Amino acid sequence: MYKPELLNSLKNYSAKTFFSDLSAGIIVGIVALPLAIAFAIASGVSPEAGLFTAIVAGFCISAFGGSTVQIGGPTGAFAVIVYGVVAHFGLSGLATATVMAGILLILLGAFKMGGLVKFIPYTIVTGFTAGIAVTIFTGQIGDFFGLAITQFPEGFDKMPGDFVGKIQTYALNATHINLYSLILASVSLVIIFVWPKINKKIPGSLIVIILATIASVLLSKFAGLTTDTIGSRYGSIPSSLPAPKLPDLRLSTIRTLFPTAVSIAVLAAIESLLSAVVADGMTGAKHDSDNELIGQGIANIVSPLFGGIPATGAIARTATNIKNGGRTPVAGIVHALTLLLILLVLGRYAVYIPMAALAAVLISVAWNMAGIPAIRALVRGQKSDICVLAVTFLITVFIDLTVAIEVGLGFAAFFFIKKMIDLSEVQNKRESLTGGIGAASDGLEEKLDIPQDTMVYEIDGPLFFGTVRKFEVAVEKAGIKYKALVLRMRNMIYLDAGGIRALEQAKAACDRKGVTIILSGIHTQPYLLLEKTGMADKIGRENICANINLALERAKTVTND
């Protein structure tokens, strides 16, 4: 039954816990301010959309989610998808896709699918995260160098959304560098990376935004140095939340945007559950993945109604919450209320924030997202992992995140099947089990009394469509001069329809040659499938034995007849 973690946390809530949550929530709210604005701009929407998302979705994720300390809001992972949706379908299309994604997330949680998201391979997550990092970095080059974008590639009248198009645009405008913006951005980036050595509680991104804004205002007034700011590019920022507005939910729009909604839902599920797992490791608590998905779904339905964008659990902000004493969802709610208060009181001053400083913040985010240590570790591993990582990364950068996940899963599945095929064996065990020629000298094989007209083959690994041919070849060899074929299945824990078909064909071939098939040591899943398909009766229940000794006794009976 769905029950938000907030209700569980309030059962034994105390004043001490409240003040701890209050302090953590206020700090996280202040930390989230520049990130919410920066992620909105990176996504191709107005700065206030990021604030609306952090307030509305952040509140919903804490109030209705399944984690005690999760902090939600806009994240860099969505920048790629949101930018593309806005470019093709506008803000209305983005709102529709986000609501649909929220509904999908609720369905995932309601049908207890939270655990399945965790099965997406680590190589794919690392690959598309690194790809998103490169895309975010690429999108900030213009603001970092203060480029005056006046020329676009052929066929475009604004900044292209794809990686190649952006690089071409920067190349066309490379001579229009604003030296002041470049210096401001470079100094900001250095401060962000150096600041943790001075103070680890207050994030460098917040310090940079404050200092850069003050410097920009003073240098503009007294030295005449100008650079793009939020105000010069986007105009004023509202000092309140907008009235709720329903998105376009016509059937034709839903059909068009459904694939995009699936991408948003999958990405939100992956990132939120990944963040919750990280939080569990820091606090020792355990989140409810299904309830967390429902909370994420509610947040993504409500967020676009108030002009917000897709949201999910944010790992960095969640970690900040934990480090500052947050222990219940109340801290996340306080974080949302803090941002609302900042919007109401100080929102109008955000117009002075220089774009160069925000570019530095996003480039630092991209660097942290890239996961260089994880990539280095994977590159030293198996070639199959390297291939999946590279394919997912390249498709994310050059084509599309949705395609990257689909193709990455396809490659991962292919390599997994190949690995299972390589590890599977169907071996002749007669000589090794009787101590004859080719018997192992290490004493690991038991010595058994195998009848003269009996062949024993052992199946190691699953018998499925990928390993059927090995089995068929073994049966062909075994049926030449023997009356009984014992298939030892103690190491075969999985059987599929392809394996059943192979057994049927083997049974038919052995029947033609007067050979009896006997199964030994079969596990539960293969046996139940034999029962359901009727194969148990075809083989003969008397020929399905619990262990090798019973199987050999049955073989003696068969060969003596």
Side-chain angles (χ1 to χ4, degrees), residues 152-164:
F152 301 98
E154 186 176 350
F156 292 92
D157 57 0
K158 61 179 182 179
M159 176 66 78
D162 62 292
F163 175 81
V164 175

Side-chain angles (χ1 to χ4, degrees), residues 11 29 66 73 82 94 128 134 140 182 184 199 219 235 237 293 337 352 362 383 386 423 461 474 510 516 552:
K11 288 180 180 178
V82 173
L94 174 63
F128 76 65
V134 169
Q140 302 312 306
L182 176 59
L184 183 62
N199 188 307
L219 290 173
I237 291 181
L293 290 182
L337 296 177
Y352 299 107
L362 285 168
K383 291 182 179 178
I386 297 172
L423 293 175
C510 288
T516 300
L552 292 177

Side-chain angles (χ1 to χ4, degrees), residues 340-390:
L340 177 60
L341 185 63
I342 292 173
L343 176 68
L344 297 176
V345 178
L346 303 175
R348 61 183 180 273
Y349 298 111
V351 296
Y352 299 107
I353 298 174
M355 298 301 297
L358 286 174
V361 170
L362 285 168
I363 287 175
S364 69
V365 169
W367 174 260
N368 292 327
M369 281 184 68
I372 302 300
I375 293 174
R376 286 175 179 167
L378 286 172
V379 168
R380 291 194 292 266
Q382 302 178 100
K383 291 182 179 178
S384 58
D385 289 339
I386 297 172
C387 180
V388 173
L389 173 68

Side-chain angles (χ1 to χ4, degrees), residues 65 130 136 159-160 226 247 257 347 423 454 474 503:
I136 291 175
M159 176 66 78
T226 59
L257 291 170
L423 293 175
T454 300
L503 281 173

Side-chain angles (χ1 to χ4, degrees), residues 485-503:
L485 170 61
V486 176
L487 296 177
R488 199 173 190 187
M489 296 181 166
R490 59 177 180 170
N491 295 324
M492 189 198 81
I493 60 174
Y494 178 75
L495 180 70
D496 75 348
I500 290 289
R501 177 62 177 163
L503 281 173

Side-chain angles (χ1 to χ4, degrees), residues 49-121:
L51 291 174
F52 298 157
T53 306
I55 294 168
V56 177
F59 178 90
C60 292
I61 287 171
S62 294
F64 302 110
S67 171
T68 55
V69 292
Q70 183 87 280
I71 300 296
T75 66
F78 282 119
V80 180
I81 294 180
V82 173
Y83 195 100
V85 176
V86 172
H88 288 91
F89 304 104
L91 293 175
S92 175
L94 174 63
T96 303
T98 306
V99 169
M100 291 166 60
I103 295 171
L104 291 174
L105 284 166
I106 291 177
L107 291 176
L108 285 174
F111 287 100
K112 307 297 182 182
M113 304 290 282
L116 296 181
V117 178
K118 300 174 185 177
F119 289 107
I120 293 179

Side-chain angles (χ1 to χ4, degrees), residues 24 27-28 31 201 203 315-325:
I27 292 172
V28 177
V31 168
K201 285 196 171 184
I315 296 176
R317 275 161 276 174
T318 299
T320 302
N321 179 38
I322 296 169
K323 291 176 182 177
N324 285 280

Side-chain angles (χ1 to χ4, degrees), residues 123-275:
T123 47
I124 293 177
V125 175
T126 304
F128 76 65
T129 302
I132 291 170
V134 169
T135 305
I136 291 175
F137 171 80
T138 306
Q140 302 312 306
I141 292 176
D143 286 333
F144 193 89
F145 287 90
L147 295 178
I149 307 296
T150 58
Q151 301 180 63
F152 301 98
E154 186 176 350
F156 292 92
D157 57 0
K158 61 179 182 179
M159 176 66 78
D162 62 292
F163 175 81
V164 175
K166 287 179 180 177
I167 296 300
Q168 289 176 336
T169 303
Y170 295 144
L172 290 172
N173 297 274
T175 57
H176 304 155
I177 294 176
N178 183 325
L179 188 59
Y180 166 48
S181 296
L182 176 59
I183 293 172
L184 183 62
S186 299
V187 172
S188 298
L189 192 60
V190 170
I191 292 174
I192 289 173
F193 284 113
V194 172
W195 182 257
K197 297 180 180 179
I198 302 172
N199 188 307
K200 292 185 177 181
K201 285 196 171 184
I202 302 175
S205 58
L206 179 63
I207 299 300
V208 158
I209 293 299
I210 294 172
L211 294 180
T213 302
I214 295 172
S216 177
V217 171
L218 293 177
L219 290 173
S220 174
K221 184 175 182 179
F222 298 106
L225 297 174
T226 59
T227 183
D228 276 356
T229 63
I230 289 178
S232 66
R233 185 171 298 180
Y234 298 99
S236 61
I237 291 181
S239 296
S240 62
L241 287 174
K245 180 181 178 182
L246 289 174
D248 181 5
L249 294 175
R250 289 176 297 178
L251 185 60
S252 58
T253 307
I254 292 173
R255 286 176 178 172
T256 302
L257 291 170
F258 184 75
T260 302
V262 171
S263 299
I264 294 173
V266 170
L267 189 56
I270 293 172
E271 190 167 7
S272 63
L273 295 183
L274 179 61
S275 175

